[in-house]
Every structure is written in C-alpha cells, then in structure tokens.
Amino acid sequence: VYAPDVALPRPQGGLAPVIYKVPTKLPVVFLTIDDGVYREPEAAAKMRAAHVPASLFLVQRYAAQAPGYFSSLAQQTHSAIEDHTMDHKDLRDLNYEDQHREICTTADIFQRVYGRRPIITRPPYGDFNTDTLRATAACGLRAVVIWHALVQDGTVQYQVGSSLRPGDIVLMHFTPNFKKDLQAFVDASRAAGLTPQLLEDWF
C-alpha cells in the first residue's frame, strides 16, 4: 500500500470539486464499481484473490434489495460504499432541491444501514452541473468522482492513450460480466505496473 503523495481538493465556496483522476506519480490505480443491479456471488472472493479494493457507488434503490450483500462485500474486500443517488436519474434534469434530496437521502440511508456515511458521490452517467456540486458539498460529501477509463464486456476502454496510467480512476459496473471485467482491470493494471488502491484512503 502506498502512502498518498498528493492532497486531493476539498469543497470550496460551497462547491464540491470534480475528480477524474488522482494527480499522483505513484504506481497506483483506483477501481470504482457502480449501480448494484446485479450481484455477482463470487465478487468478494475474486476481489480478495486479486487484492483489489473498490469504491462501490451504489444506487440506493438497488442496494436496498440486498443490503447484506453489499455490506459483506465491502467488509471482505476492504472496499467502501459510496453515494450514487437514490434512483439513478440524470441530475441535470433536476432542480437543486431534488438533487440535494437524491444525494443527501442516499448518504443518510447508507450511514444508517452500513454504519459509515459516504464521503464522495458519483452522478449517474457522469452528468452533473453546478447544482450537483452545490448539493454534494451541502450534504457533507467531499467530491464528485468521475472516471478516466471504463471496463465493459471484458475490455478496458481508455479516454487517453492505450493503457492505464498512475492515478487513473476506472469505472466498472455490477453486471453479469463482473468476473470478466474484474479480470480485465487486473490484467490492465499489471500490464501498466500499477497497484490497485482504495480511493478513499487518498481523501
């Protein structure tokens, strides 16, 4: 485990910062897994075997169907459960009050259910506006987290270049391709000489 060598930005002027990657030179990479519709039975075992923790950005409506699954997954893999709103709506279609409700209510429920309040949020589809940043800060969360690479159908899709780079935040989803996607992330991380770390440790 590498000690953080950079300080990530904190909310300023009532607005949460938007983070696409961690500006580090250390050989680390960060996995994030979204939604929670599909619950892979072998997820914890596979993540443990690969020494991969993750930020689990859960939609409250989906997580509520099996809170024990996600609590166990987080505990077994040293992962963290984070805020991905109540209903996975495009936040840009909502006014400030409704965005505040989507983010804050999820954080409140997760604190009650999982015993830890989320510290970061991810807007559905990666879409946000200034009201999202205001609401995130007002709900006591530290940042809006997007991503720099996507794992889908067993393939890593890069926004820049053709490999993972230090500090990249990688997006994956809870889908039936979970094991294949996790292996693709592990392979890409190893090929780039990067070690998966928990993003929350850098805040």
Side-chain angles (χ1 to χ4, degrees):
V1 176
Y2 292 89
D5 64 339
V6 294
L8 291 174
R10 296 294 181 96
Q12 282 190 319
L15 299 178
V18 182
I19 296 174
Y20 290 85
K21 66 176 296 172
V22 175
T24 178
K25 292 183 170 62
L26 294 175
V28 295
V29 64
F30 305 96
L31 181 64
T32 64
I33 311 176
D34 280 15
D35 297 348
V37 179
Y38 175 78
R39 295 176 285 279
E40 168 57 51
E42 295 181 48
K46 294 294 184 183
M47 290 173 67
R48 267 204 326 271
H51 304 289
V52 174
S55 305
L56 312 178
F57 285 99
L58 302 181
V59 175
Q60 198 281 325
R61 179 159 54 96
Y62 305 146
Q65 298 169 10
Y69 170 86
F70 294 107
S71 178
S72 175
L73 177 62
Q75 289 173 4
Q76 290 187 57
T77 62
H78 304 291
S79 297
I81 292 171
E82 300 295 355
D83 193 321
H84 197 34
T85 74
M86 292 284 292
D87 297 303
H88 206 273
K89 297 173 181 173
D90 188 330
L91 295 180
R92 298 174 304 175
D93 295 336
L94 306 180
N95 61 29
Y96 172 77
E97 289 74 19
D98 289 339
Q99 291 200 43
H100 187 276
R101 187 178 308 112
E102 282 280 333
I103 296 167
C104 274
T105 304
T106 300
D108 291 344
I109 291 173
F110 285 180
Q111 182 172 15
R112 187 168 67 248
V113 172
Y114 300 112
R116 172 191 170 275
R117 187 176 178 81
I119 64 168
I120 48 180
T121 189
R122 170 167 286 156
Y125 316 107
D127 292 333
F128 61 91
N129 56 23
T130 303
D131 281 343
T132 313
L133 309 186
R134 283 178 56 213
T136 297
C139 293
L141 305 182
R142 299 180 190 175
V144 170
V145 174
I146 312 296
W147 59 88
H148 228 258
L150 167 68
V151 190
Q152 197 166 23
D153 301 326
T155 303
V156 182
Q157 302 170 15
Y158 303 100
Q159 291 183 5
V160 179
S162 57
S163 66
L164 292 176
R165 297 178 302 171
D168 275 354
I169 295 171
V170 180
L171 168 62
M172 202 177 119
H173 290 86
F174 285 100
T175 74
N177 285 321
F178 186 96
K179 288 187 285 186
K180 186 166 35 168
D181 288 349
L182 180 66
Q183 190 59 53
F185 168 77
V186 169
D187 292 344
S189 299
R190 286 177 180 159
L194 302 176
T195 300
Q197 306 268 267
L198 185 64
L199 180 60
E200 285 74 3
D201 290 342
W202 291 62
F203 278 93

